[in-house]
Amino acid sequence: RRQNQPTRRRHDNRRNDRRQRFNRIERQASVKVSADWEVIEEFDIAQLLKLQANRPVAEDLKWCGFLDPYDEAWDSVSSRTAKPLARLEQKEFYTVTTTDDPVIEELAGECAGNVYATDAILAHLMACPRSVQPWDLVVQKADDTLFFDKRDDSYFDYLTVSETATDPPQAGEDPESMNAPAKLSLEASAINQNFTQQILKSGGQGRETMEFPNPFYNEEESVGMEPASVAYRYRKFTLGNIQLVARCELHGTVVKKGTKQFMTAFALNEWDSTVSGGVEWRRKIDNQRGAVFATELKNNSAKLAKWTAQSVISGAEQMKIGFVSRKTRVDNQRHEILATQFYKPQEFANQITLNVLNMWGIIKMFADKFMGLEDGKYVIMKDPNKPTVRIYSVPPETFEEEDDEDEDEEEEEGEGGGAAAEE
């Protein structure tokens, strides 16, 4: 055994060299910085962890959409009774940004608040001290009112995979590989959407319909489709002089101890444990789930923090986490649900050392900072290769050309989409 030790040590050194080489790979910025962008402020992302704000009082302003009930049969699923993940292609999911939301437009017209955002954007900022990959957000200020937005062509809504791992996925020589970062992100995002709906009872039984319908669903444009089970809960949070209005999402209802509760749902996914630095789920998930979760928390700390923050913002009493794995590690099209587990968002936040007071402190800092600036358009951007966040002042027309191009493409597809659909 002693004679073998130097061999293992040399192997470990080679692995460490490989990690160091990977870590030196330059990531590309999430958006190109133009010459006419002006840096307003720059700070180390770790400084955000020092911020604190009291938990705000939440007030419900409007409820839209519907919620289907959770199917308790999923509580007993295990690696021995794994269920195939379904492709729910008749469900429509919406990731509409703040300024494109008709309800937020209506609420802003009524002066319901002075800061507007979505839960996804707020949660991203709340969890951003854990982020490694580059990202950007757009902030518009007009008449002492702030709108936090995402760019239309950004990757903001796609889930990261092993973002905080010691040896994260790299594009490498073959960006089309199923284990390249972009492909893994698409896979994880599709898994997450399908999981949130598959664990609910189908057929509309026990459905809770909100006062107003889904604001993004258009029956005439979505023939044969139905909106996913989502309730949009428009809430107002008071943080001192900041009146924050946010669109929050809930995914279902569940009965706990005879009381109906709101829940969110998310899915962690195993892609290839031989290269991801993880443990093989099918061997460990039933008897050593803590070990599986500990590895996921290490590899996906930012993603788990973001989901937890979203659940806290939305006022969910329960958060359902699914563990979904490829049927075989070389097939990224077929997956199985191996286990599910409920967590209470506040307790889960404590478990993953996510400080709720710090979450709100980050939001208040950004809101106060932009309130102190002149009216205009700004970009919050994380450096692609350093733990640094910069705030840029950008020309008012920035990104507007992208919006116009998207609208032109949609019109062209609408005019000539029939043949393509038939093919």
Side-chain angles (χ1 to χ4, degrees):
R1 290 179 181 173
R2 290 178 180 173
Q3 290 176 345
N4 289 337
Q5 283 180 353
T7 303
R8 284 202 297 269
R9 197 173 296 125
R10 283 199 298 272
H11 171 74
D12 288 342
N13 288 337
R14 285 198 300 271
R15 183 169 61 182
N16 289 335
D17 289 344
R18 183 165 65 93
R19 285 176 176 169
Q20 290 170 7
R21 189 168 66 254
F22 279 156
N23 289 336
R24 286 198 297 269
I25 291 176
E26 293 279 312
R27 295 187 183 89
Q28 298 300 310
S30 58
V31 64
K32 183 180 178 181
V33 177
S34 299
D36 53 1
W37 290 20
E38 178 188 354
V39 177
I40 297 295
E41 188 158 350
E42 176 179 318
F43 49 86
D44 189 287
I45 207 166
Q47 293 176 7
L48 298 176
L49 292 171
K50 302 175 183 178
L51 302 171
Q52 298 272 311
N54 292 330
R55 185 194 296 260
V57 175
E59 174 191 350
D60 289 338
L61 301 179
K62 193 168 186 176
W63 286 83
C64 303
F66 63 84
L67 292 174
D68 287 330
Y70 172 70
D71 186 345
E72 289 83 1
W74 288 102
D75 286 341
S76 58
V77 70
S78 68
S79 64
R80 294 182 298 276
T81 60
K83 304 293 183 185
L85 180 72
R87 290 190 178 188
L88 303 175
E89 296 175 346
Q90 283 72 46
K91 297 281 188 180
E92 286 205 327
F93 301 85
Y94 306 94
T95 55
V96 179
T97 191
T98 310
T99 51
D100 288 341
D101 185 327
V103 178
I104 285 183
E105 182 180 7
E106 172 193 322
L107 293 171
E110 298 170 358
C111 298
N114 55 9
V115 179
Y116 297 86
T118 66
D119 60 345
I121 290 172
L122 294 175
H124 183 89
L125 290 172
M126 288 172 165
C128 75
R130 304 185 183 211
S131 64
V132 175
Q133 294 187 5
W135 52 266
D136 64 273
L137 290 169
V138 179
V139 182
Q140 299 184 67
K141 184 187 180 191
D143 300 325
D144 292 324
T145 303
L146 301 177
F147 294 89
F148 284 76
D149 267 317
K150 60 178 183 179
R151 289 182 299 110
D152 284 346
D153 63 344
S154 73
Y155 287 91
F156 179 83
D157 294 307
Y158 291 97
L159 299 180
T160 60
V161 176
S162 298
E163 176 181 1
T164 55
T166 305
D167 200 355
Q170 302 288 340
E173 297 177 358
D174 183 11
E176 294 303 312
S177 164
M178 73 172 69
N179 292 335
K183 295 287 187 181
L184 288 172
S185 182
L186 286 170
E187 179 184 0
S189 301
I191 288 170
N192 190 65
Q193 286 186 339
N194 288 320
F195 174 79
T196 65
Q197 303 301 299
Q198 187 173 349
I199 61 173
L200 305 176
K201 293 179 180 177
S202 59
Q205 54 175 320
R207 174 173 292 178
E208 182 174 344
T209 303
M210 302 304 155
E211 183 179 2
F212 297 94
N214 187 309
F216 313 117
Y217 174 68
N218 187 316
E219 191 171 0
E220 293 181 359
E221 296 177 359
S222 307
V223 178
M225 305 288 288
E226 72 164 341
S229 169
V230 175
Y232 297 104
R233 186 180 194 178
Y234 293 85
R235 312 187 83 193
K236 180 178 179 179
F237 302 93
T238 300
L239 287 157
N241 62 320
I242 301 300
Q243 303 288 316
L244 170 62
V245 174
R247 182 187 76 228
C248 307
E249 290 189 14
L250 295 162
H251 302 134
T253 60
V254 61
V255 176
K256 292 286 185 180
K257 297 181 179 179
T259 303
K260 182 190 284 188
Q261 298 182 344
F262 296 122
M263 61 175 274
T264 53
F266 306 97
L268 292 165
N269 67 293
E270 178 186 41
W271 46 286
D272 187 344
S273 60
T274 63
V275 294
S276 67
V279 295
E280 190 176 341
W281 285 12
R282 283 177 176 81
R283 293 177 52 198
K284 303 282 189 179
I285 196 75
D286 294 338
N287 300 319
Q288 299 180 45
R289 190 171 301 175
V292 171
F293 181 76
T295 303
E296 285 304 298
L297 181 56
K298 178 174 70 73
N299 291 345
N300 292 289
S301 175
K303 180 164 66 176
L304 281 163
K306 193 182 300 187
W307 289 346
T308 308
Q310 281 183 258
S311 302
V312 169
I313 297 167
S314 69
E317 289 99 341
Q318 299 288 338
M319 177 171 65
K320 188 67 161 179
I321 299 288
F323 296 84
V324 181
S325 177
R326 290 178 181 173
K327 191 169 178 63
T328 66
R329 64 184 179 85
V330 294
D331 183 358
N332 67 347
Q333 299 297 316
R334 296 183 300 162
H335 301 85
E336 292 182 330
I337 302 173
L338 305 182
T340 70
Q341 188 159 336
F342 272 115
Y343 297 93
K344 293 181 179 179
Q346 181 59 67
E347 293 178 4
F348 192 70
N350 296 337
Q351 186 176 340
I352 66 172
T353 64
L354 180 67
N355 186 324
V356 174
L357 300 184
N358 174 240
M359 284 166 35
W360 288 110
I362 291 172
I363 298 303
K364 188 165 192 325
M365 182 277 288
F366 276 113
D368 286 340
K369 190 169 295 295
F370 286 107
M371 279 296 186
L373 299 178
E374 295 180 358
D375 284 6
K377 183 177 283 189
Y378 302 89
V379 172
I380 310 172
M381 184 173 172
K382 183 193 172 293
D383 187 284
N385 298 296
K386 300 175 185 175
T388 302
V389 172
R390 297 182 183 91
I391 297 176
Y392 293 89
S393 173
V394 302
E397 67 276 7
T398 306
F399 310 128
E400 297 299 328
E401 291 180 5
E402 296 173 5
D403 296 342
D404 294 340
E405 288 173 6
D406 290 341
E407 289 175 6
D408 291 342
E409 288 176 8
E410 288 175 6
E411 287 176 6
E412 289 174 10
E413 289 173 3
E415 291 169 2
E422 289 171 8
E423 290 174 6

